[in-house]
């Protein structure tokens, strides 16, 4: 890019930044280093300097958003400190939420137990021994009432990490808000909902892909009309990476899934300028520091370009890629667990330097169990040290222009584009054979084909195998595992969930079933199945079922009976 265009961009950015300062939206307009050196809000080429390819880097808050979505960066608004929590029953988890909020957390992120993730009630025989162990048990809207007791849902952003039964769980959340007297149009937060990544990586599905996409489309329509601030679809690369994908695969598979959901919205006749801002993303921050920073920068650039050039989005908000980050659970080690504090801090710093919008830091003991209160506090304080002591929030994209970071950003972007082309080719081939059922564009068709023939699973498995070989050969070092294994560290005291939790949850569920109106429950489930069968939007009857205290297992079971259960294609 020539010097004139770069200097024009600098002036344009400076004007927008000055306007933000004048409007009072910049919380720290004149920060300095620890030694008192003044800091500019952003840095770029010297005035009059031409830089080849600078159009791919740009200025903060401008297309292609490589350097961040906002002109002011974290000076205007710091990332949301969001801690993932959930264990035992709703009352115990509510106590942890109160602690997180009192300790300075800016948002809540709900972890559900395995039965809930699989759409099962706590008294389902398949739930035996799992209730409350990896998250909170939620059987009905009444559990949501307890989970958020004393927490005004119109004042706190809430993220829910759940996919298969995400829509009925969200309906429980809406009913809990109604019972608080909250206008649901004021709710804000994110719902994971991303079913593609379940078929690709995490394997917690309920129905076949096509009817599940239809249910997600109903949710997108409902939230666009009724809950405009809430993001009903958090597209998750985190679980893809945790399953063994490389950084490039995580980025490409995740953004491809996102494009599939854009195609779903467009197939419903929704305006991309309206529904696209309701999409958000969830990425992993792994231990390779610069690779992760480059991945996040490439993600924003790719998404903006595709949204503009492929899907026709013209406004900045519709081109923005907003994302939450969680530090890498798979990088945590059981040996020498205190080294996990260091890993988490490095990964969190990469997320911040990559421009994350919100962040969860794993606790040092999460490799062994749900975090203790002390471990959760250390994880929270890690973010607060980054935000308040290190100075990393003072300058937008401080690594922008680094030869290394820019080269890595370009390489990861190129790798992702190669993967997109392969997925789209699979989709085009599938469409030639006859269009699959459901809303389909080329990317959606390719994703469905790749799920059906096991391509995604095979690609991730191969990457995971290569990494494990490198660890076992010593080529890749993991401190405490295959390097520096000597230690004076003793065993940790970890959080253990009592068997009483399951017994009490099952008893509570039985009492709620006995107290509700069974005819109302049956009628509401019949209306839900009727909507599923007749093509109507399923959210209103699902909300009615939630108000009637229908359980998660009953709602999901009614839809499984109508649509069938999904069985994965074996691939060796």
């Amino acid at each position: 890019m020539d010097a004139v265009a770069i200097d024009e961009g600098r002036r344009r950015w400076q004007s927008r930044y000055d306007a933000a300062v004048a409007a009072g939206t910049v919380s720290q307009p004149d920060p300095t280093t620890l030694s008192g050196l003044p800091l500019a809000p952003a840095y770029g080429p010297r005035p009059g300097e031409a830089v080849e390819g600078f159009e791919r880097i740009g200025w903060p808050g401008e297309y292609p958003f490589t350097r961040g979505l906002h002109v002011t960066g974290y000076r205007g608004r710091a990332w949301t400190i969001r801690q993932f929590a959930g264990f035992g029953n709703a009352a115990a988890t509510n106590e942890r939420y109160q602690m997180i909020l009192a300790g300075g957390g800016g948002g809540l992120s709900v972890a559900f137990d395995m039965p809930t993730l699989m759409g099962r009630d706590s008294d389902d025989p398949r739930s035996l021994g799992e209730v409350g162990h990896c998250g909170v048990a939620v059987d009905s809207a009444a559990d949501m009432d307890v989970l958020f007791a004393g927490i005004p849902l119109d004042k706190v952003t809430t993220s829910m990490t759940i996919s298969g039964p995400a829509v009925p769980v969200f309906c429980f959340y809406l009913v809990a808000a109604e019972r608080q007297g909250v206008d649901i149009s004021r709710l804000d937060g994110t719902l994971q909902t991303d079913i593609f990544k379940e078929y690709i990586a995490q394997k917690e599905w309920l129905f076949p892909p096509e009817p599940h996409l239809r249910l997600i489309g109903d949710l997108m329509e409902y939230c666009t009309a009724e809950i405009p601030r809430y993001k009903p679809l958090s597209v998750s690369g985190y679980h893809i990476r945790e399953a063994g994908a490389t950084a490039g695969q995580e980025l490409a598979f995740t953004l491809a899934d996102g494009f599939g959901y854009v195609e779903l919205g467009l197939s419903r006749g929704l305006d991309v300028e309206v529904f696209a801002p309701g999409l958000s993303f969830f990425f992993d921050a792994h231990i390779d520091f610069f690779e992760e920073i480059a991945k996040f920068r490439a993600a924003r650039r790719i998404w903006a370009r595709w949204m503009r050039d492929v899907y026709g989005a013209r406004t900045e908000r519709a081109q923005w890629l907003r994302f939450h980050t969680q530090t890498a659970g798979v990088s945590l080690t059981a040996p020498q667990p205190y080294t996990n504090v260091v890993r988490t801090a490095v990964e969190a710093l990469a997320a911040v330097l990559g421009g994350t919008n919100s962040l969860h830091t794993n606790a040092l003991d999460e490799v062994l169990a749900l975090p203790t209160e002390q471990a959760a506090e250390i994880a929270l304080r890690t973010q607060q040290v980054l935000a308040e002591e290190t100075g990393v929030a003072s300058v937008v994209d401080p690594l922008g222009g680094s030869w290394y970071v820019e080269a890595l950003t370009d390489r990861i972007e190129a790798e992702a584009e190669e993967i997109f082309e392969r997925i789209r080719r699979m989709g085009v081939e599938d469409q030639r054979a006859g269009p699959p059922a459901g809303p389909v564009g080329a990317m959606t068709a390719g994703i469905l084909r790749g799920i059906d023939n096991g391509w995604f699973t095979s690609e991730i498995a191969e990457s995971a195998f290569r990494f494990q070989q490198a660890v076992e050969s010593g080529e890749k070092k993991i401190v405490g595992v295959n390097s520096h294994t000597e230690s004076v560290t003793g065993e940790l005291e970890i959080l253990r969930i009592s068997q009483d939790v399951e017994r009490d949850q099952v008893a509570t569920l039985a009492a709620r079933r006995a107290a509700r109106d069974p005819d109302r429950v049956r009628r509401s489930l019949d209306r839900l199945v009727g909507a599923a069968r007749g093509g109507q939007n399923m959210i209103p009857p699902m909300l009615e079922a939630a108000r009637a205290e229908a359980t998660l297992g009953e709602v999901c079971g009614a839809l499984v009976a109508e649509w069938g259960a999904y069985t994965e294609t074996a691939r060796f």
Side-chain angles (χ1 to χ4, degrees), residues 8-22 71:
E8 285 177 356
R10 187 198 317 274
R11 286 190 291 270
R12 185 171 58 247
W13 168 80
Q14 187 68 57
S15 176
R16 294 177 68 190
Y17 180 82
D18 291 343
V21 172
V71 169

Side-chain angles (χ1 to χ4, degrees), residues 9 56 84 98 158 175 179 304 397 404 494 556:
R56 297 196 310 274
F84 190 49
Q98 301 283 3
T158 304
V175 170
R179 291 171 178 172
D397 188 34
Y404 179 36
I494 61 173
C556 294

Side-chain angles (χ1 to χ4, degrees), residues 137-157:
V138 172
D139 290 312
S140 72
D143 284 315
M144 281 289 187
D145 295 341
V146 177
L147 188 64
F148 294 110
I151 300 172
L153 290 175
D154 56 343
K155 301 287 195 302
V156 174
T157 62

Side-chain angles (χ1 to χ4, degrees), residues 221-260:
E221 285 184 352
Y222 186 85
C223 287
T224 298
E226 305 293 336
I227 320 174
R229 295 170 60 188
Y230 205 92
K231 298 169 185 60
L233 243 168
S234 175
V235 187
S236 177
Y238 186 85
H239 307 89
I240 292 171
R241 188 67 179 281
E242 295 283 292
T246 65
Q249 288 173 330
E250 176 198 358
L251 177 60
F253 294 172
T254 306
L255 294 190
D257 289 352
F259 298 143

Side-chain angles (χ1 to χ4, degrees), residues 185-392:
S185 68
R186 298 180 60 191
L187 295 174
D188 194 1
T190 57
L191 184 68
Q192 194 165 101
T193 317
D194 174 13
I195 199 61
F196 282 143
K197 64 93 176 174
E198 296 296 340
Y199 302 116
I200 290 171
Q202 198 174 20
K203 313 303 183 183
E204 292 168 1
W205 55 65
L206 301 177
F207 326 117
E210 287 83 357
H212 208 126
L213 281 179
R214 184 196 150 193
L215 181 59
I216 292 172
D218 286 355
L219 181 67
M220 291 172 68
E221 285 184 352
Y222 186 85
C223 287
T224 298
E226 305 293 336
I227 320 174
R229 295 170 60 188
Y230 205 92
K231 298 169 185 60
L233 243 168
S234 175
V235 187
S236 177
Y238 186 85
H239 307 89
I240 292 171
R241 188 67 179 281
E242 295 283 292
T246 65
Q249 288 173 330
E250 176 198 358
L251 177 60
F253 294 172
T254 306
L255 294 190
D257 289 352
F259 298 143
Y261 295 123
V262 172
E263 293 175 356
L264 173 61
L266 292 173
S267 76
R268 290 297 187 100
L270 298 177
D271 184 348
V272 70
E273 309 294 350
V274 177
F275 79 79
L279 301 175
S280 67
F281 289 80
F282 174 22
F283 288 114
D284 195 302
H286 219 296
I287 194 64
D288 192 319
F289 186 68
F290 289 103
E291 182 175 59
E292 295 304 292
I293 295 167
K295 178 186 74 180
F296 298 133
R297 298 172 83 251
R300 277 191 298 269
R301 187 159 76 202
I302 294 168
W303 184 258
R305 185 177 64 254
W306 275 67
M307 290 304 294
R308 186 189 70 175
D309 297 346
V310 178
Y311 299 113
R314 293 289 171 256
T315 62
E316 286 189 346
R317 289 181 61 80
Q319 297 169 1
W320 281 354
L321 182 140
R322 304 165 185 79
F323 68 94
H324 170 71
T325 309
Q326 181 174 338
T327 56
V330 75
S331 73
L332 304 179
T333 63
Q336 302 179 36
Y338 290 103
T339 60
N340 293 329
V341 177
V342 181
R343 293 186 179 98
T344 295
V346 169
E347 293 162 359
L349 181 58
V352 170
L353 292 174
T356 192
N357 302 108
S358 68
L359 178 62
H360 164 75
T361 36
N362 288 327
L364 66 94
D365 54 359
E366 282 190 66
V367 68
L368 299 167
L370 294 168
T372 63
E373 288 191 12
Q374 182 183 43
E377 181 181 81
I378 292 170
L380 176 62
R381 294 291 180 256
T382 299
Q383 293 206 49
Q384 291 165 335
V385 168
L386 289 178
E388 299 176 21
E389 295 186 30
T390 64
V392 295

Side-chain angles (χ1 to χ4, degrees), residues 51-218:
V51 177
E52 182 181 355
F54 190 75
E55 65 276 3
R56 297 196 310 274
I57 302 171
W59 295 95
E62 294 189 358
Y63 182 90
F65 307 107
T66 308
R67 305 195 66 189
L69 303 181
H70 304 292
V71 169
T72 56
Y74 295 135
R75 286 192 184 191
R77 180 179 178 180
W79 67 90
T80 300
I81 296 176
R82 191 181 296 283
Q83 288 304 106
F84 190 49
F87 61 93
N89 58 27
T93 302
N94 177 267
E95 291 179 8
R96 177 66 61 87
Y97 289 165
Q98 301 283 3
M99 184 198 82
I100 289 170
L101 293 173
L108 299 175
S109 187
V110 185
F112 296 95
D113 71 357
M114 186 56 69
T116 306
L117 291 170
M118 298 302 297
R120 298 169 184 164
D121 292 333
S122 295
D123 59 359
D124 188 305
R126 294 168 295 179
S127 301
L128 184 64
E130 295 290 344
V131 176
H133 280 273
C134 71
V136 62
V138 172
D139 290 312
S140 72
D143 284 315
M144 281 289 187
D145 295 341
V146 177
L147 188 64
F148 294 110
I151 300 172
L153 290 175
D154 56 343
K155 301 287 195 302
V156 174
T157 62
T158 304
S159 171
M160 289 183 278
T161 303
I162 193 164
S163 295
V167 181
V169 166
F170 183 63
C171 288
F172 294 165
Y173 168 78
L174 295 183
V175 170
E178 290 175 349
R179 291 171 178 172
Q180 285 188 1
V182 169
D183 179 353
I184 64 169
S185 68
R186 298 180 60 191
L187 295 174
D188 194 1
T190 57
L191 184 68
Q192 194 165 101
T193 317
D194 174 13
I195 199 61
F196 282 143
K197 64 93 176 174
E198 296 296 340
Y199 302 116
I200 290 171
Q202 198 174 20
K203 313 303 183 183
E204 292 168 1
W205 55 65
L206 301 177
F207 326 117
E210 287 83 357
H212 208 126
L213 281 179
R214 184 196 150 193
L215 181 59
I216 292 172
D218 286 355

